[in-house]
């Protein structure tokens, strides 16, 4: 699955989350970099990112 960068950035801004906040939520910095570079991620990883942001998965995927 791929994350839509624009939707992801908007959700991240609404949640006021930085890289350190994602790490506290159990999402490694490398995974975050992969997501932001447009590479595919496992569905469960996208789910963890969406959960950390407090949004539904459909709000951040392409």
């Amino acid at each position: 699955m791929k994350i839509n960068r624009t939707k992801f950035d908007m959700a991240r801004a609404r949640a006021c989350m930085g890289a350190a906040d994602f790490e506290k939520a159990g999402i490694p910095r490398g995974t975050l970099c992969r997501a932001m570079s447009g590479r595919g991620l496992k569905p469960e990883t996208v789910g963890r990112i969406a959960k950390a942001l407090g949004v539904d998965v459909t709000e951040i995927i392409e």
Side-chain angles (χ1 to χ4, degrees), residues 4-59:
N4 180 298
R5 179 69 188 260
T6 303
K7 292 178 181 180
F8 173 75
D9 285 342
M10 289 190 319
R12 188 174 170 181
R14 278 194 303 268
C16 300
M17 290 188 74
D21 298 312
F22 282 101
E23 286 189 55
K24 288 177 188 172
I27 300 160
R29 193 174 295 256
T31 301
L32 190 59
C33 289
R34 275 197 311 277
M36 294 173 72
S37 68
R39 291 191 277 174
L41 299 171
K42 293 178 184 177
E44 58 269 22
T45 303
V46 177
R48 283 188 292 153
I49 292 170
K51 186 176 180 179
L53 288 169
V55 299
D56 188 71
V57 171
T58 59
E59 291 185 45

